Amino acid sequence: MTEQAQLNYHRIAEAIGHIRQNFRQQPSLEELAEKVHMSPFHFQRMFTEWAGVSPKKFLQYVSLAHAKQVLKAREATLFDAAAETGLSGTSRLHDLFMKMEGMTPGEFKNGGEHLRINYSFGQSPFGQILVASTPKGICYMSFAEEEETALAVLQQQFPRAQFSAAADAFQQDALQIFTHDWSQLPQIKLHLKGTEFQLKVWEALLKIPMGNLSTYGSIARQINHAKASRAVGTAIGSNPVAFLIPCHRVIQSSGVFGGYMWGPDRKTAIIGWEAAKANALP
């Protein structure tokens, strides 16, 4: 990522953070632009290019105030609340074009011994991405502020694997999710290291439609472990594949977005971006 691209990213991330913290005041375009030391005109253009929607539309999508009011006013589901805040529009599911395969017990136990892993860095609307793949599919994907640190974290996941700095077809297919029509994407193959319980949780995440939200309790019920919300949260937090497995679509039952491995501002940005994509679909 170039120095200017990094500056632009941090400016938009700061604006999104301001929206998250001040949504009740419905900050104006001028206020947001001033916050990041830009003119309203240039801020509007940069934000729209980066997030896919205008600042005003984005604020509408991520406004928690209305979602909370809907949830408290009646026995509404989070899907109802999401729909009434603009988070609706498509029934296309990730798993229509995502195939997940767990690693063998030996691969899981031995830290990736004998695995050959390619890795490369790419760009997304939400910052630089590190993506890695085995000969069977994507095994890791993470937002990467610093390349050396991100690579070290990847290597800790597979301490005995053989790593090569190389982009392959699996990685290229995965990165197209940020730039192409999802209905036209090739099937993305995942090759993941996880326990049986973790794999079940990640499979459940793949079934949350783009533009919709779920809760930890709902995911627990879906995998027939209704009392395991805390364990579900731990499994979601250990998701090794950013964005492709949409852990960002899981929020607290109160309507609060909650934490995210790669930062709450980025989570808010992704939810708003997906909402815009969903509403743009026929």
Side-chain angles (χ1 to χ4, degrees), residues 12-55:
I12 300 305
E14 183 179 357
I16 288 170
H18 188 74
I19 290 173
R20 290 183 67 247
Q21 295 170 14
N22 300 278
F23 61 88
R24 291 182 182 86
Q25 286 74 45
Q26 297 291 294
S28 66
L29 173 66
E30 289 74 19
E31 179 184 345
L32 293 170
E34 183 180 359
K35 184 69 178 176
V36 295
H37 310 292
M38 298 179 67
S39 71
F41 173 79
H42 286 99
F43 173 71
Q44 170 98 353
R45 185 177 66 180
M46 182 185 295
F47 192 103
T48 302
E49 290 175 353
W50 188 87
V53 291
S54 69

Side-chain angles (χ1 to χ4, degrees), residues 42-112:
H42 286 99
F43 173 71
Q44 170 98 353
R45 185 177 66 180
M46 182 185 295
F47 192 103
T48 302
E49 290 175 353
W50 188 87
V53 291
S54 69
K56 181 178 179 179
K57 282 288 186 182
F58 190 87
L59 177 59
Q60 293 173 352
Y61 290 138
V62 302
S63 176
L64 297 182
H66 184 62
K68 290 180 181 178
Q69 290 173 0
V70 172
L71 289 168
K72 291 179 179 179
R74 53 186 170 82
E75 293 183 358
T77 66
L78 283 168
F79 294 100
D80 294 333
E84 294 195 29
T85 50
L87 298 175
S88 62
T90 182
S91 60
R92 292 173 180 159
L93 305 182
H94 259 50
D95 63 347
L96 291 178
F97 57 89
M98 199 84 63
K99 181 178 180 181
M100 187 168 73
E101 176 180 340
M103 293 189 177
T104 66
E107 290 170 334
F108 182 88
K109 180 180 179 180
N110 297 327

Side-chain angles (χ1 to χ4, degrees), residues 138-155:
I138 299 297
C139 64
Y140 184 84
M141 193 155 120
S142 173
F143 294 104
E145 298 291 341
E146 298 181 0
E147 292 189 3
E148 290 185 5
T149 301
L151 180 57
V153 173
L154 167 62
Q155 292 171 334

Side-chain angles (χ1 to χ4, degrees), residues 157 193 198 202 233-241 261:
Q157 303 297 314
K193 179 179 73 171
Q198 287 174 326
W202 299 339
T234 300
I236 290 173
S238 61
N239 169 28
V241 183
M261 184 188 307

